[in-house]
Amino acid sequence: MSSAKPAATRSGEPISRGAGARQRVLRAALEVLDEHGLPGFTMEAVARRANAGKATLYRHWQSAGALLIDAMDATFQPFPEPDTGRVETDVAELLTAFVRLLEETPFPRLLAAFVDAAERDPALAALHADLTERRRQPLLAVLDRARERGQLPDHLDAELVTDLLTSPFFYRRFVAHRPIPEGMVDDVIACVLPTGFPSRRSKSS
Amino acid sequence: MSSAKPAATRSGEPISRGAGARQRVLRAALEVLDEHGLPGFTMEAVARRANAGKATLYRHWQSAGALLIDAMDATFQPFPEPDTGRVETDVAELLTAFVRLLEETPFPRLLAAFVDAAERDPALAALHADLTERRRQPLLAVLDRARERGQLPDHLDAELVTDLLTSPFFYRRFVAHRPIPEGMVDDVIACVLPTGFPSRRSKSS
């Protein structure tokens, strides 16, 4: 990276030219993954697609796995942390953004490829675990803040509640292969968050 | 292949000889899937491994997808429906059996392969949806019975509760890549089931 030269390169266009070039490689990586799946995801294939040199790619990414993670990260921006004053509304905002992501290409396809690949490759599983960990942060932060404000009980297990709030959407999409119904976000929140409002017993918020 | 004949056949051993032969093909299918993943899962490969003819396989299974589903089904017997008298205990029994399954080979690896393949093949997604649907039945039955007995509220959405009870374990295993901690079954039940006992607020049952 320190040898980044804006012009002149031995192997295709330099990717060190800045964000544009980096984006080009990441986009190429997503295209390769989408078309060929993980078995076809190699540094060679991405380099070819991005019209960059394989050696150049290796200077920026240690492995195809590392490149894949960056490409996954590039498929969406982290959700901004909402602060509406009500924990249910904050959580609903985050989950709604997440559901939208699950209904969009290419994220679900990439995630599905990851689920399979991680079973066969512990290094990839560790990378995926990190990625998931980062994506949980906004929700964990919202729950922690609500606890500090007395909107949720002190002893609430925020990690478990984060699992419970997000996992039904993964499950619907990737295991049950059912549509995510209108109102499911509200129903999940009403079921999981230990607050009096919206009523735990009511079906809609 | 066609030269292996314990008893006269055009294309390998007849698999119609009964349960033993069928089991042999299903076992071969699982082995092929485990070794080569879904890209290598073809009728040819399974026939070769099972020492059976491809045409013979096609007489019993319309497609590689149909064979795959049967092979998945063969990886475990359906959980017997518990009836301990307490809904929490019944649910805990089913979830514990499920967690054991998630920690065993080859089920998780197969499921991961399915998640990916279903993204690319709608027919496979439909088959996987059916499989999931069948596997939800014991839990749904336990919840319905508890409702009839007045142990759960009448208006409980058993489908949603089934999602909430099972999905955290899928998520842990395939998305977060974290171990499933001792006591997670009890914690999930305490969080999700709208009953007074075990206390919603206690961490252990």
Side-chain angles (χ1 to χ4, degrees):
Chain A
M1 233 181 297
S2 55
S3 60
K5 301 172 203 127
T9 163
R10 278 180 314 199
S11 50
E13 251 183 281
I15 61 163
S16 46
R17 279 229 182 123
R22 180 184 155 83
Q23 286 310 315
R24 184 164 50 86
V25 174
L26 294 179
R27 207 163 40 236
L30 291 178
E31 287 167 8
V32 168
L33 192 66
D34 196 41
E35 278 170 34
H36 304 289
L38 220 56
F41 189 85
T42 59
M43 288 298 229
E44 283 92 336
V46 177
R48 209 176 313 124
R49 172 68 63 113
N51 193 27
K54 193 176 139 188
T56 313
L57 259 64
Y58 269 112
R59 277 199 293 279
H60 294 262
W61 291 278
Q62 277 194 334
S63 65
L67 172 53
L68 192 56
I69 290 285
D70 273 3
M72 287 281 286
D73 259 349
T75 58
F76 69 91
Q77 297 304 308
F79 304 135
E81 200 182 302
D83 189 3
T84 62
R86 268 185 92 227
V87 58
E88 291 84 353
T89 322
D90 290 349
V91 171
E93 269 193 28
L94 288 172
L95 291 184
T96 302
F98 173 58
V99 168
R100 219 175 295 128
L101 192 69
L102 276 183
E103 287 168 342
E104 269 169 21
T105 323
F107 175 76
R109 207 147 160 179
L110 295 178
L111 191 105
F114 248 79
V115 165
D116 186 31
E119 282 302 307
R120 287 155 213 281
D121 182 344
L124 218 53
L127 287 169
H128 192 205
D130 286 350
L131 196 72
T132 302
E133 190 55 38
R134 285 204 298 283
R135 292 185 178 172
R136 294 166 62 86
Q137 291 314 312
L139 193 46
L140 283 167
V142 160
L143 295 174
D144 281 342
R145 197 180 53 207
R147 220 163 30 180
E148 281 159 23
R149 291 179 181 166
Q151 298 172 330
L152 289 174
D154 264 352
H155 58 267
L156 179 105
D157 183 343
E159 292 283 346
L160 179 66
V161 168
T162 297
D163 286 1
L164 285 166
L165 288 170
T166 53
S167 59
F169 303 100
F170 282 101
Y171 172 82
R172 280 253 162 185
R173 178 67 175 77
F174 296 108
V175 180
H177 305 282
R178 294 171 168 204
I180 294 172
E182 190 72 33
M184 182 169 166
V185 163
D186 288 339
D187 290 345
V188 166
I189 292 172
C191 225
V192 171
L193 280 193
T195 58
F197 47 96
S199 159
R200 299 190 56 78
R201 304 285 141 107
S202 79
K203 286 293 298 283
S204 60
S205 68
Chain B
M1 221 180 310
S2 54
S3 58
K5 34 186 143 120
T9 160
R10 274 180 319 198
S11 51
E13 251 185 279
I15 61 164
S16 47
R17 277 224 186 132
R22 181 183 155 83
Q23 286 309 315
R24 183 163 52 84
V25 173
L26 294 179
R27 207 163 40 235
L30 291 178
E31 287 167 8
V32 168
L33 192 66
D34 196 42
E35 277 170 34
H36 305 289
L38 219 57
F41 189 85
T42 60
M43 287 299 230
E44 282 90 338
V46 177
R48 208 175 313 123
R49 172 68 62 115
N51 193 26
K54 193 174 139 190
T56 312
L57 258 64
Y58 271 112
R59 277 199 293 278
H60 293 262
W61 291 279
Q62 278 195 332
S63 65
L67 172 54
L68 193 57
I69 290 287
D70 273 2
M72 288 280 286
D73 259 349
T75 58
F76 69 92
Q77 296 304 308
F79 305 135
E81 201 181 302
D83 189 2
T84 63
R86 268 184 92 227
V87 58
E88 291 85 352
T89 322
D90 290 349
V91 171
E93 269 193 26
L94 288 172
L95 292 184
T96 302
F98 173 58
V99 168
R100 217 174 296 129
L101 192 68
L102 276 183
E103 288 168 344
E104 270 168 22
T105 322
F107 175 77
R109 205 144 162 182
L110 295 178
L111 192 105
F114 247 79
V115 165
D116 186 32
E119 282 303 305
R120 288 156 212 281
D121 182 343
L124 218 52
L127 286 170
H128 192 205
D130 287 350
L131 195 72
T132 302
E133 189 55 38
R134 285 204 298 283
R135 291 185 179 173
R136 292 165 64 86
Q137 290 315 311
L139 193 46
L140 282 167
V142 160
L143 295 174
D144 281 342
R145 197 180 51 206
R147 219 161 32 178
E148 281 160 24
R149 291 181 181 166
Q151 298 171 330
L152 289 174
D154 263 352
H155 57 269
L156 179 107
D157 183 342
E159 292 282 347
L160 179 66
V161 168
T162 297
D163 286 0
L164 285 166
L165 288 171
T166 52
S167 59
F169 303 100
F170 282 101
Y171 172 83
R172 281 252 161 185
R173 178 68 176 76
F174 296 108
V175 180
H177 305 283
R178 295 171 168 205
I180 294 172
E182 189 72 34
M184 182 168 166
V185 163
D186 288 339
D187 290 346
V188 166
I189 293 172
C191 224
V192 171
L193 280 194
T195 58
F197 47 96
S199 157
R200 297 191 58 78
R201 303 285 141 107
S202 78
K203 287 293 298 284
S204 60
S205 67

